[in-house]
Structures are given as C-alpha cells and as structure tokens.
Amino acid sequence: HITTQFNQKRAISFNAVISDADAGLEQLNQFRFDETNCGEHLMFESSTKVTVSESNAEANSMPNNCVSKDVVSARVCDVFEWEITMERVQKARFGDHAEPNLYVGWAEPPIVDTIKKWNGPFSYLGAHLNKNTYAINVYGTKIRAVGSTLFPQFGDITKKMFSFKNGDRIKVKFNFPAKQMEVYLNDQFIAVAFDNVPNEIVPAISLSQAGDCISVTDVKAYMGTLESE
C-alpha cells in the first residue's frame, strides 16, 4: 500500500506524457511499474511490487531493470520522493544481516533511447550500455553511487557501513531546483548522491538476486516544501 502525500494547495501529477502542466496539477497518480519494459526475470505481484524469479539464478544473477510507467517532470513538481522497501533480500553467508544488491535511481526519457539492455551482463543502471542512467547501489554493507559527478564510479556515498535487514526502507528524494538526489535509510538522511538531476526523469531500479523482492511504499510529489517539513 502506497501512502501518497502532497501539498494541499497544489496536487501534482506525474503522468507518463505531460503536455499540459496545468492539467497535470489537477490530480496525483499513484506509482506504477512498467510491466512491459523490464528485465525478463522479474515477476510483478502488483504494479508496485516486484520479485526476481528463480530463473535468474540460472542466468548467473544478472541485473534486471525496471522503470516507472511515468515521467516525473520539473514542470509540475519541485520535489519527488520515492521510497523502496526491501521486503525480502538474500541473507548474507555469515551473520543474520541481509546482503542486498539493489540499484535505485533514474533514467532519462525517452526510455527507448536510454536503456538498451534490460537484463544480462553489464545492464545495471549506470552501466556504459545504458547511457543516461544513474543510481545508488545498495550492496552488501555499503551504499555506493553509479554515474555520479560527486563520487568516483561505485564510490561510497558515506563511510558508514550498514547491517541491512528485511523491511529496511531506501528513499531517494529528487530536488529539481537544486538538481540533487538525496538518499535516506529508514527516514534518516545519508547523503546527497547526485547533483546532476535533469528536468525530466523516469524512476528506475535494478535487481539481480533470485528471490529478492521490493515494493514501492511511499511516494510524494510537491511544489516547494511539505508543510510538515
């Protein structure tokens, strides 16, 4: 279930094709994954919940990409917040913590020109095969950046190490006026991972480990700042 919150003065839309910004302000649509343009080893339990099938283990746990059905535009919102919950993540070989390999970020539209490879070797977000895609990589005990101008490729966005577990929530906050993407873990600010966010994005993820499951659990799109901030 997605909790959708927005500035009561202006409801913001993030429709797939935004040709009229004023019309876009009339409604706020709930998030939907694009179930037609995605990696072949992904299974959709709903429009907001996706699992990596066991068949991907036979494919050497290669990345599988998945994107939003909607383009998020700076013409209709200043800020877009997108929260992913790790419902089920592969357990580490040693210890009780989870060991994820999850990419969360964006692709520049149009998707047909940006993502050339939906699954397979070197198809993760930020890979050279998929130009104009950017993401954080939640990997093992770290959160890294892929394609950032602030950090080296696969550079850690913080020196802190994490003991991830099922139920952890990763949130990315796109601030269009500042061109930044902020990262949060369970509502705690971690770092600004990117400062090159364009005016139009398509939220995107990469998953690879068979059995891993994520869901979109919170979406906020708004102008200015939320009144609670």
Side-chain angles (χ1 to χ4, degrees):
H1 175 72
I2 299 177
T3 302
T4 308
Q5 302 180 25
F6 54 95
N7 189 318
Q8 294 294 329
K9 296 180 181 178
R10 305 181 75 182
I12 310 304
S13 169
F14 40 99
N15 293 322
V17 179
I18 301 171
S19 57
D20 184 343
D22 291 332
L25 293 175
E26 295 178 359
Q27 60 181 346
L28 178 66
N29 292 335
Q30 291 194 341
F31 182 89
R32 302 165 298 164
F33 278 123
D34 188 340
E35 299 180 32
T36 57
N37 292 311
C38 62
E40 63 178 306
H41 299 287
L42 297 180
M43 304 183 299
F44 294 88
E45 297 185 36
S46 71
S47 61
T48 60
K49 190 173 184 179
V50 61
T51 300
V52 184
S53 70
E54 294 299 328
S55 62
N56 203 44
E58 301 173 3
N60 297 318
S61 297
M62 294 298 177
N64 284 258
N65 296 319
C66 183
V67 300
S68 167
K69 227 173 179 180
D70 307 312
V71 173
V72 183
S73 172
R75 286 180 291 162
V76 292
C77 65
D78 287 339
V79 179
F80 179 78
E81 301 182 14
W82 188 40
E83 181 185 88
I84 300 291
T85 295
M86 297 188 291
E87 303 284 359
R88 184 174 59 251
V89 180
Q90 184 171 298
K91 189 176 179 181
R93 294 181 182 179
F94 305 100
D96 294 327
H97 63 281
E99 196 168 68
N101 187 13
L102 165 68
Y103 294 77
V104 183
W106 82 91
E108 294 185 16
I111 291 299
V112 65
D113 294 334
T114 302
I115 298 184
K116 299 297 185 182
K117 196 168 185 179
W118 288 96
N119 58 268
F122 303 106
S123 63
Y124 53 83
L125 297 177
H128 68 280
L129 292 175
N130 294 325
K131 294 183 178 180
N132 298 322
T133 62
Y134 307 85
I136 56 165
N137 177 211
V138 183
Y139 178 76
T141 59
K142 299 181 178 182
I143 302 179
R144 313 185 293 184
V146 189
S148 175
T149 57
L150 299 176
F151 304 94
Q153 185 78 334
F154 285 108
D156 298 343
I157 67 172
T158 175
K159 294 180 179 179
K160 185 176 180 180
M161 299 182 72
F162 303 92
S163 181
F164 296 107
K165 61 185 183 303
N166 290 339
D168 279 348
R169 294 172 289 114
I170 303 293
K171 180 173 72 176
V172 292
K173 179 178 178 179
F174 298 97
N175 184 324
F176 289 110
K179 297 187 176 299
Q180 293 180 343
M181 188 186 90
E182 301 173 3
V183 181
Y184 296 78
L185 175 64
N186 298 327
D187 295 324
Q188 296 297 311
F189 174 75
I190 302 300
V192 172
F194 295 90
D195 65 353
N196 60 333
V197 174
N199 287 333
E200 288 190 336
I201 63 168
V202 179
I205 62 170
S206 290
L207 295 165
S208 59
Q209 299 175 142
D212 280 7
C213 175
I214 64 92
S215 62
V216 179
T217 47
D218 195 24
V219 172
K220 300 184 184 76
Y222 51 92
M223 302 297 289
T225 59
L226 287 177
E227 294 179 359
S228 60
E229 294 183 343

